[in-house]
Amino acid sequence: MDDDLSFSELLKDISLSVCSDIEIFNDPFVFINKLFSASDIIILDIKMPKMDGVEILRRLAIKKCQAKIILISGFDSSVLHSSSMLANELGLNVVAQVTKPVQAKQIQAIIRDINTEEKGVLKPIKANSSITKYALFSKKDILYAINNDQLILYYQPQIELKTKKLAGLEALVRWNHPEYGIIYPNDFIPLIAKYQLFEELTNKVIRIAIDQEKALKGYGYTIVISINISSCNVTSLTLPETLEELIDNAELEPSMLCFEVTESELMGELIPSMDTLTRMRIKGFKLSIDDFGTGYSSLLQLYRIPFHELKIDQSFIKNLMTSPESKIIVDICITLSHNLGMIVVAEGIEDQATLEELTRMGCDIGQGYHLCKPMDIASILCWIQKKSAEGLIIAVQANSK
Ligand code: C2E
Ligand code: MG
Ligand code: MG
């Protein structure tokens, strides 16, 4: 769909080698009245005089269009990026963004990839991680899971980029359901929130993490474990004391635990959270601000709450190599953290190029599938032993007590 007749003819010629059935639309009103199926590919120009591309996207969304959409524009990449985010939020399926001038090879490669994926050769269809699938779980079911050892922790390594030292492990909860298998946090944490069970969940997660940290120490590894907590937890004023008691009983140091709070969650109850978080820091626990860049925290908050670490949101890391805007944001996060005396972590590193670029940019710590996927405690222990034997990471040996 492009108002420019000669450009759309050109696109048709380019696409003919990878796609046989091509229809050109130059009038947006004709285009939006057409029905598209999930196997169709739409190439849409964002800038058109009669009806702009964003308006067309909105109308396609109303019609619940499932076609794969390639957005094209002569604007700079930020307009394309915003339009693409908007479209995805409206439930459309934008698969690629291309800036003009268009290169024939690029368009052909995108269409070829879509067709291969369609045949199931490239990737399996992503599992539908929708909460509605599990909405049938009652509060009783979740409490039963918490109290009957159905919650397990997976761990994902965090690596110091300059030295390849193992800087820590992030504990990520999973529900090992007897009938449904492993259920991921995005599918059940909303229910924990709905039933107000954060205290029970966090207590359980902290206890498992401390036990497993002690076990790792038994194997000779002193490793900081990061635990995700919710803002509901930090409004509990007794949390610092509870934690202190648990860590004392396990004969571990508070500095071996780091608590991650997501930036977006810090908005609400700021005063009680500041109280709890500050006392946790005073007691020697580490604090991290997670998914930074997605919430709306003011810079003042960064300075008021004694975070020792900032984790840049994955969305910026994923687009680091393709979006100049993401790179600028990552760069600012690195400078901001360093100037405020914080360590900066990049999560969601999925390839070598991103890893190298982040190292070059001065990011301290990396985490992501390219380095290691989250694994259960037994597998992570094997991974640490294997990688340290190969000299690929340096795992800190425990100080003998
Ligand atoms: P998070 O704390 O930001 O954790 C990072 C998420 O990104 C994890 O998803 C991890 O598996 C995933 N991830 C790591 N590297 C990559 C990568 O390279 N590519 C991609 N695509 N993903 C990557 P997971 O385990 O599904 O956890 C999702 C969220 O659930 C976490 O986000 C955290 O906010 C929450 N969560 C996890 N465990 C707990 C918990 O014990 N308590 C609470 N309150 N929240 C938790
Ligand atoms: Mg986290
Ligand atoms: Mg995160």
Side-chain angles (χ1 to χ4, degrees):
M1 169 68 233
D2 197 313
D3 60 301
D4 180 340
L5 193 63
S6 54
F7 184 70
S8 31
E9 288 290 351
L10 174 72
L11 267 183
K12 181 175 178 178
D13 290 346
I14 289 175
S15 311
L16 270 174
S17 66
V18 281
C19 197
S20 53
D21 188 8
I22 303 175
E23 209 172 332
I24 289 180
F25 295 89
N26 300 115
D27 184 342
F29 293 97
V30 176
F31 176 75
I32 50 156
N33 281 321
K34 170 118 180 130
L35 279 181
F36 296 101
S37 77
S39 56
D40 286 328
I41 301 171
I42 296 174
I43 305 183
L44 173 66
D45 191 356
I46 291 291
K47 193 183 176 216
M48 283 175 297
K50 278 198 214 159
M51 187 191 288
D52 67 60
V54 174
E55 177 63 12
I56 292 186
L57 288 170
R58 212 177 48 74
R59 296 202 186 200
L60 288 175
I62 293 170
K63 291 170 79 181
K64 306 222 174 320
C65 168
Q66 290 303 304
K68 288 147 201 97
I69 302 172
I70 302 172
L71 292 182
I72 293 200
S73 165
F75 283 117
D76 63 41
S77 58
S78 65
V79 175
L80 260 183
H81 181 63
S82 311
S83 313
S84 157
M85 287 209 327
L86 177 74
N88 285 331
E89 261 163 39
L90 289 172
L92 295 171
N93 187 10
V94 175
V95 289
Q97 308 158 32
V98 181
T99 37
K100 283 182 180 172
V102 168
Q103 304 211 337
K105 273 190 187 153
Q106 191 186 6
I107 293 284
Q108 287 159 348
I110 295 170
I111 296 176
R112 208 176 292 119
D113 275 0
I114 296 173
N115 287 338
T116 331
E117 215 168 297
E118 186 95 310
K119 287 180 204 133
V121 183
L122 267 187
K123 292 184 217 153
I125 305 286
K126 268 190 210 146
N128 175 18
S129 61
S130 143
I131 175 186
T132 49
K133 203 167 51 168
Y134 300 113
L136 57 157
F137 290 128
S138 65
K139 182 170 181 178
K140 215 170 126 202
D141 294 331
I142 298 198
L143 266 175
Y144 183 87
I146 297 177
N147 295 326
N148 290 277
D149 300 326
Q150 288 183 6
L151 294 190
I152 55 170
L153 293 184
Y154 272 28
Y155 293 93
Q156 189 176 32
Q158 301 177 319
I159 310 289
E160 225 174 70
L161 295 182
K162 241 192 243 156
T163 59
K164 303 278 176 285
K165 198 177 123 199
L166 180 64
L169 297 172
E170 176 171 7
L172 296 158
V173 71
R174 270 94 181 91
W175 180 354
N176 190 6
H177 194 280
E179 194 181 329
Y180 299 102
I182 297 285
I183 303 180
Y184 286 83
N186 289 342
D187 285 329
F188 70 90
I189 297 260
L191 292 176
I192 299 266
K194 181 176 159 196
Y195 301 137
Q196 300 185 351
L197 291 174
F198 268 117
E199 198 176 330
E200 289 79 355
L201 169 81
T202 302
N203 276 337
K204 188 71 188 179
V205 168
I206 291 173
R207 279 172 173 77
I208 305 175
I210 290 180
D211 277 355
Q212 298 188 327
E213 179 145 48
K214 214 175 156 185
L216 286 173
K217 197 175 162 194
Y219 281 92
Y221 299 110
T222 301
I223 304 171
V224 176
I225 292 186
S226 293
I227 296 173
N228 293 282
I229 56 173
S230 140
S231 62
C232 312
N233 299 125
V234 289
T235 50
S236 147
L237 296 176
T238 53
L239 183 69
E241 284 68 32
T242 314
L243 283 173
E244 194 171 42
E245 197 182 321
L246 286 172
I247 207 97
D248 268 357
N249 290 343
E251 297 180 346
L252 296 170
E253 297 297 319
S255 59
M256 309 255 308
L257 288 187
C258 172
F259 292 92
E260 296 188 4
V261 193
T262 57
E263 189 203 13
S264 53
E265 291 220 358
L266 272 179
M267 300 295 85
E269 315 258 0
L270 189 59
I271 300 297
S273 344
M274 267 177 64
D275 178 318
T276 310
L277 291 170
T278 307
R279 281 189 302 121
M280 281 164 73
R281 194 80 184 95
I282 292 171
K283 288 187 187 302
F285 296 102
K286 292 184 165 145
L287 294 180
S288 173
I289 182 159
D290 202 358
D291 302 342
F292 188 78
T294 52
Y296 304 91
S297 69
S298 69
L299 292 175
L300 187 66
Q301 243 163 293
L302 266 189
Y303 148 82
R304 273 182 174 172
I305 302 177
F307 291 108
H308 96 287
E309 177 185 279
L310 181 149
K311 292 184 91 169
I312 309 170
D313 189 64
Q314 301 196 15
S315 55
F316 303 115
I317 308 302
K318 289 222 173 81
N319 297 322
L320 185 74
M321 304 308 286
T322 49
S323 148
E325 292 81 8
S326 291
K327 190 177 255 178
I328 292 170
I329 294 173
V330 171
D331 206 25
I332 290 173
C333 288
I334 295 174
T335 310
L336 178 69
S337 312
H338 287 167
N339 287 347
L340 288 174
M342 287 189 276
I343 289 169
V344 58
V345 182
E347 61 180 342
I349 302 177
E350 292 190 350
D351 54 67
Q352 182 65 21
T354 307
L355 180 70
E356 284 170 16
E357 186 57 16
L358 285 163
T359 312
R360 195 196 60 73
M361 291 170 79
C363 178
D364 302 305
I365 292 173
Q367 181 181 343
Y369 293 169
H370 180 65
L371 292 160
C372 182
K373 285 202 166 179
M375 295 188 277
D376 63 26
I377 185 70
S379 314
I380 214 73
L381 178 61
C382 289
W383 184 89
I384 295 170
Q385 288 170 327
K386 183 167 169 273
K387 293 285 170 180
S388 29
E390 290 168 1
L392 292 174
I393 61 156
I394 311 163
V396 179
Q397 296 290 314
N399 306 323
S400 46
K401 255 206 158 182

